Amino acid sequence: MSNAPTTTRSAAVSVGNADYRDWGLEFPTDFIFGSATASYQIEGAATEDGRGPSIWDTFSHTPGMVWNGDTGDVADDHYHRLESDLDLMKELGLEAYRFSISWSRIQPTGTGPANTKGLDFYTRLVDGLIARGIKPIATLYHWDLPQALEDKGGWTNRATSYAFAEYARIMGEALGDKVITWTTLNEPWCSAYLGYGSGAHAPGLTDGAKALAAVHHLNLAHGLAVTALKKVVTNDPAFSITLNLHVIRGEGEQAAEAVRQIDGLANRVFLGPLLHGAYPEDVFVDTADVTDWAFILPGDLELIHQPLDLLGVNYYSTTLVRIWDGVSPRANNDGHKDMGGSPWPGADRVEFIAQAGPYTEMGWNIEPAGLEELLVSLHEEFPTLPLMITENGASFVDVVTSETAESGESISVVHDEQRTDYLQRHFTAAHRAMARGVDLRGYQVWSLMDNFEWGYGYSKRFGIVYIDFETQERILKDSAKWYSKVIATRTIQPLG
Ligand code: IFM
């Protein structure tokens, strides 16, 4: 089956990013439409059935780290509402569901025997998906490291990479006949640089050398996990990793230099070892004052550089940089919470500049062209590697109102036109990339439901399903209804 999309009808509207607002574009029959979540963001049941604490339990319970003191203790209570949430996915017509597994639900202290109740939960999840005709896409690590491993150095400790491979083996043995895509890590950029560099994410450290050690040990963990999984799975899944690659624009006389430095830390330090089998030399030079990279041991690059079947791409917005003049106050607008440290070790001369709007509620600029550009550039660099959008979506303020349905019944509705518009533009961008030859296999909207948005707690809503965090009521937003129609017709639908 050809993966080339067909165009049946399109129309443009003249506002910002206007020519990306098309509809009527059709996706191929094997394109996988789904939606994504992550364990700590939705599950709740933080201390139940033998789950051990993760770094996000510790971090969110530390005063001042998360907006409003919010925690993932209850979140969307998905752990207890599994069956009805699965029914909701079916009702929406999702073809795939991308979820993550809580390592500390499986191994409460990160090593040792598997917790049967944890395995049972994910087995019920995967079986429930399959029973409803929904493909399971599993992510092994979406930031919730068992606290006991952090106590021994977390991702700065090489032993964590080997512990991760053992956890991967356990999950491969448990679900290795059912999962269609295994994603080792979600956005290791965030785990390393926000966790150990800027302090905005758990474990909240602000040490550039540790952040770079974490980068390497995450890369190593990925390679070891792929190898471990391949030994035990019995079906023929795709092996992948998901990266939040940065689409970087430069400004000023030294624009190219600013872009090169940030591209090295954000993109090439992952793509290089994972897909080319080598770290970019210029990153070693740029960070020489921060670390000597002695944590890279002989043979590590071979362990990391495993053949992949798919690259997961998370995309939200673009990044604008320039070389700082050293005099004016240094701009620091990289889209992440400022908690004191820098997520860019060795790039002290680079500043992050505010970009032109429109913006989402996160303050992130909306630029669908960046998604097309990213997909095309990846395809050019790795022509034989299939891609999947594993996250894309937007946070906006949502308002629940009551309306009278045709039946006369009063119903709750959320008219989230901005989110629907955002998705429509980004689906258009994805379609255009495919028309330019990109082998894009699917699109997982972030997120299925509103959830714990890390340092922002419950203040930012990304869901296409609204969650009332008091009552746990689920309300389909208009974007969910729109997405259902997209999936049913395999065609980008007009708004409203
Ligand atoms: O909510 C997060 C997700 O966990 C990882 N990618 C970005 C999303 C929005 O910030």
Side-chain angles (χ1 to χ4, degrees), residues 4 42 45 56 65 73 130-131 261 339 341 383 387 409 424 473:
I42 65 162
W56 270 97
M65 294 307 181
D73 287 0
I130 292 170
Q261 287 189 33
M339 296 291 273
L387 307 176
E409 176 198 10
Q424 190 192 50
E473 185 189 359

Side-chain angles (χ1 to χ4, degrees), residues 36-45 72 74-79 85 89 97 99-100 121 446-452 458 472 474:
T37 63
S39 49
Y40 190 72
Q41 293 183 272
I42 65 162
E43 285 179 3
V74 178
D76 295 359
D77 198 30
H78 171 71
Y79 191 77
D85 284 344
M89 296 176 209
Y97 174 54
F99 61 96
S100 82
F121 173 71
W446 185 268
S447 174
L448 175 62
M449 25 188 177
D450 296 331
N451 56 49
F452 177 80
Y458 297 101
Q472 291 294 342
R474 274 84 166 127

Side-chain angles (χ1 to χ4, degrees), residues 319-332:
T319 303
L320 180 61
V321 293
R322 74 172 163 230
I323 295 292
W324 179 41
D325 64 13
V327 179
S328 340
R330 186 163 168 267
N332 187 21

Side-chain angles (χ1 to χ4, degrees), residues 142 209 326:
H142 196 123

Side-chain angles (χ1 to χ4, degrees), residues 37-38 41 98 142-143 186-187 190 201 242 244 314-316 335-336 362 364 390-395 446-447 451-454 456 460 462:
T37 63
Q41 293 183 272
R98 173 179 181 247
H142 196 123
W143 308 351
N186 180 72
E187 301 182 355
C190 296
H201 279 190
T242 281
N244 57 324
N314 289 358
Y315 175 84
Y316 291 90
H336 298 283
M362 295 294 283
W364 298 344
T390 39
E391 281 183 30
N392 172 253
S395 171
W446 185 268
S447 174
N451 56 49
F452 177 80
E453 177 53 27
W454 308 111
Y456 299 92
K460 307 288 183 212
F462 275 88

Side-chain angles (χ1 to χ4, degrees), residues 140-259:
L140 286 169
Y141 185 74
H142 196 123
W143 308 351
D144 41 0
L145 186 73
Q147 180 62 44
L149 292 182
E150 182 55 40
D151 295 343
K152 294 179 193 150
W155 289 112
T156 70
N157 180 357
R158 186 178 177 87
T160 299
S161 312
Y162 285 87
F164 183 69
E166 170 58 6
Y167 155 61
R169 183 195 64 75
I170 292 171
M171 292 319 305
E173 281 186 348
L175 301 175
D177 53 343
K178 296 166 183 163
V179 164
I180 65 142
T181 297
W182 288 97
T183 303
T184 53
L185 307 172
N186 180 72
E187 301 182 355
W189 182 91
C190 296
S191 304
Y193 296 114
L194 299 181
Y196 295 86
S198 81
H201 279 190
L205 304 187
T206 53
D207 181 326
K210 288 188 172 166
L212 294 171
V215 164
H216 179 64
H217 294 136
L218 283 154
N219 283 334
L220 180 62
H222 157 83
L224 294 171
V226 168
T227 303
L229 283 169
K230 282 186 178 170
K231 282 189 189 144
V232 293
V233 300
T234 54
N235 59 356
D236 186 22
F239 296 99
S240 72
I241 184 169
T242 281
L243 303 176
N244 57 324
L245 297 164
H246 287 51
V247 177
I248 308 157
R249 325 294 196 192
E251 204 179 84
E253 280 175 18
Q254 298 184 74
E257 172 59 10
V259 170

